[in-house]
Amino acid sequence: MPLYVVTGGAGFIGSHLVEELLRRGETVRVADDFSSGLRENVPAGVEVIDGDLSNPAIADRAIAGADYVLHQAAIPSVARSIDDPLRSHRANVDGSLQVLLAARKHRVKRLVYAGSSSAYGDSPTLPKREDMPAAPKSPYALQKFVAEQYCRLFTQLYGLETVTIRYFNVFGSRQQASSPYSGVISLFIKALAADTQPIILGNGAQTRDFTYVANVVDGVLRACTAPEASGEVINVATGGRVSLLQLLDTLNLVMGTAMAPEFKGLRLGDVRDSQADIQKAQKLLGYTPIVGFEEGLRRTVAWYRTTRQHDKNIQP
Ligand code: UD1
């Protein structure tokens, strides 16, 4: 029975991977330092290695015995990395290097790395294809790019099979809206649910390839075994793009609200437009998006309402 190690398995995307692997009857171990992941996201009975993966002893314990490593652990957020580049570097670069070293030592079959669309920066052409040059605009984007280059090198130099999946603005249940660094969809839903104005940073014309989490889970799990994928960087997204103004319109529709945004200044390091070319994922992974943007929003809003209801119920 193969062992899947999900680093960052208590976080948003990691916990969805764990859930799907368990549903498929696989054996799973989670490695997480719970800096942003939640214990309640890890199902009972799943082995947990609790600690910082930039510590070699922790990385070694986390990876020992693994067949597949799904490396999701990171400090996400462009804005957070601009405020504290060193802390995010430690998690996103040092942590990734330690995981790769441990994966090489323990001869894992394949490591699938959570890359980021932010690596493209403001490339002049849309949609963004994997063979376009990287142009990181923030420490986060650079760190994600450096770690994917490490993955590629570990494949070339040491024969460790790695695949980088570049995520594009993933959203869905369990994405927290608890900090100003949270993803924009979670923040908008929280604002509309509380009858407050969501904040748009800039004029709202910036676009993103907002991708429902189930699509990413499907792409990552395909990447574990796809025969031609080793050493590759592959976009996994929907292939479309939606502006923040369109996002707010759709959320108002889905939530039955009519809230206007409050506009504030553009965020430092922000990318203007982001849209994935997904042909490589289709070709190498047999990937095609399963859940569309609006349906994804409906599911996310439904989850948000249930958990808020739950919060109310458990309050004394
Ligand atoms: C970036 C990456 C993404 C990565 C994510 C990690 C790009 C294109 N995407 O997402 O791959 O996974 O970081 O965090 O670089 N905004 C508002 N109001 C808010 C919050 C945000 O208007 O309250 C705006 C931001 O300025 C941005 C957009 O919404 O223009 C999306 O922001 P966010 O959800 O933080 O993600 P990105 O920075 O695009």
Side-chain angles (χ1 to χ4, degrees):
M1 188 82 162
L3 172 66
Y4 287 77
V5 171
V6 182
T7 73
F12 161 47
I13 300 174
S15 67
H16 279 277
L17 285 165
V18 171
E19 185 180 65
E20 178 59 18
L21 285 165
L22 293 175
R23 201 190 62 76
R24 295 182 186 189
E26 302 290 357
T27 308
V28 181
R29 176 192 294 154
V30 163
D32 207 297
D33 67 356
F34 298 94
S35 58
S36 61
L38 300 176
R39 297 209 181 252
E40 70 200 47
N41 284 346
V42 184
V46 171
E47 185 192 0
V48 175
I49 305 293
D50 181 349
D52 177 354
L53 290 165
S54 66
N55 174 339
I58 300 283
D60 194 73
R61 271 179 57 213
I63 305 303
D67 293 282
Y68 299 101
V69 175
L70 310 183
H71 180 40
Q72 314 297 306
I75 296 187
S77 168
V78 167
R80 195 195 297 262
S81 79
I82 291 174
D83 292 346
D84 191 352
L86 189 59
R87 181 161 176 252
S88 65
H89 184 97
R90 263 193 218 115
N92 299 341
V93 179
D94 297 352
S96 297
L97 184 54
Q98 291 298 348
V99 168
L100 280 164
L101 287 166
R104 180 184 62 155
K105 175 180 162 195
H106 292 289
R107 299 178 182 282
V108 309
K109 290 197 175 78
R110 191 173 277 187
L111 178 146
V112 181
Y113 171 64
S116 169
S117 61
S118 57
Y120 291 109
D122 281 322
S123 59
T125 339
L126 291 173
K128 301 191 180 193
R129 264 204 348 246
E130 295 85 345
D131 55 6
M132 289 175 180
K137 286 184 72 181
S138 63
Y140 173 79
L142 178 63
Q143 293 152 10
K144 280 280 158 183
F145 181 64
V146 168
E148 76 172 45
Q149 290 297 310
Y150 266 123
C151 289
R152 191 182 55 76
L153 277 180
F154 269 62
T155 303
Q156 271 176 18
L157 296 176
Y158 311 120
L160 170 69
E161 290 202 8
T162 68
V163 184
T164 291
I165 300 296
R166 280 189 181 166
Y167 300 165
F168 284 67
N169 293 75
V170 187
F171 71 96
S173 60
R174 300 203 281 273
Q175 187 169 38
Q176 293 177 63
S178 49
S179 108
Y181 298 126
S182 299
V184 68
I185 291 186
S186 64
L187 292 174
F188 278 15
I189 292 175
K190 185 182 176 186
L192 295 186
D195 247 352
T196 53
Q197 282 184 288
I199 292 163
I200 288 188
L201 303 172
N203 64 6
Q206 64 264 55
T207 57
R208 294 291 185 271
D209 191 335
F210 291 111
T211 308
Y212 185 66
V213 65
N215 300 317
V216 168
V217 167
D218 180 56
V220 169
L221 296 184
R222 284 169 181 273
C224 291
T225 50
E228 312 268 287
S230 178
E232 299 289 339
V233 172
I234 307 171
N235 295 337
V236 163
T238 70
R241 70 192 168 105
V242 171
S243 73
L244 292 186
L245 292 170
Q246 287 169 322
L247 165 65
L248 183 55
D249 280 351
T250 315
L251 269 180
N252 268 320
L253 193 81
V254 166
M255 297 182 72
T257 49
M259 193 60 79
E262 181 188 345
F263 291 94
K264 290 193 176 169
L266 200 63
R267 200 167 69 182
L268 205 63
D270 205 44
V271 166
R272 162 70 211 215
D273 295 305
S274 180
Q275 177 183 15
D277 186 314
I278 56 171
Q279 289 183 61
K280 189 169 176 184
Q282 282 164 339
K283 186 162 167 265
L284 294 188
L285 307 178
Y287 163 86
T288 181
I290 321 162
V291 181
F293 171 64
E294 195 170 324
E295 172 59 19
L297 286 184
R298 285 186 197 283
R299 293 189 194 183
T300 309
V301 167
W303 169 81
Y304 188 87
R305 287 184 167 146
T306 319
T307 52
R308 288 295 83 87
Q309 190 56 46
H310 176 70
D311 287 353
K312 273 182 220 141
N313 290 343
I314 58 175
Q315 270 163 18

